Amino acid sequence: MTYVTIGGVTVGLMILAYQLALWWPGLKPLRKDPVRHAAALLPFFLSCAYGALTVLGIGGLIGWAARTAVWITSWLGDVALVWGVGTDAGQRAGGTVYLPLTQTGGALVLILTVIVVVTAKKSTKHGGAISRGAWCGMTLGTSAGIAGFAAVPLATAANWLGGTVYGAM
């Protein structure tokens, strides 16, 4: 299990803030059609959930890539905290107790990986949001904050869905 540092969580929150700033339509349009505007965030948050799943005990190439992304993000965030605002770095952001994925849950994550990669490459409108969402989910998925609390229901849902799909065959 790779643990994210405070710097890594800070970067994850900055990615989330950046996406929300890009999305913000203004108060008047949001009041006029809230459902349509909220739906524009769906690709980001779905890929954020995927990113959180990739750091939940996934091995192989996908797990290595996710752990490497978390490590690099934590390092970059720590450097930004030290050189940007002069705080201490390297403090673990409080790892969450996570539910590892079962074999069928891991198979579902492999299928989701193909979907996320192809969608991010082919979608000109949502490709950036999908990539940022996966990165955000990877960094916040191992934190003890809100995204960390979401990891257990995500893993449970992936294990259940994978068991249902593969159990039906």
Side-chain angles (χ1 to χ4, degrees), residues 118-135:
V118 169
T119 306
K121 288 185 86 163
K122 290 195 71 105
S123 176
T124 56
K125 185 176 181 181
H126 300 293
I130 292 169
S131 300
R132 285 187 298 275
W135 186 15

Side-chain angles (χ1 to χ4, degrees), residues 4-117:
V4 68
T5 64
I6 293 174
V9 171
T10 303
V11 171
L13 291 172
M14 288 184 338
I15 295 168
L16 176 62
Y18 177 80
Q19 185 64 34
L20 290 175
L22 283 178
W23 162 81
W24 182 249
L27 194 55
K28 194 172 185 177
L30 189 59
R31 284 184 178 162
K32 188 175 182 178
D33 193 4
V35 175
R36 183 176 64 84
H37 290 295
L41 285 173
L42 199 57
F44 177 80
F45 284 116
L46 287 176
S47 63
C48 193
Y50 162 77
L53 278 174
T54 61
V55 293
L56 296 175
I58 295 289
L61 188 59
I62 295 169
W64 174 82
R67 286 188 303 276
T68 302
V70 169
W71 175 77
I72 289 171
T73 302
S74 290
W75 183 83
L76 289 171
D78 289 342
V79 168
L81 286 175
V82 169
W83 291 96
V85 292
T87 64
D88 293 332
Q91 300 172 11
R92 197 171 114 190
T96 172
V97 177
Y98 68 100
L99 178 67
L101 293 171
T102 61
Q103 184 179 17
T104 55
L108 184 70
V109 171
L110 180 61
I111 294 167
L112 289 174
T113 300
V114 171
I115 293 169
V116 167
V117 169

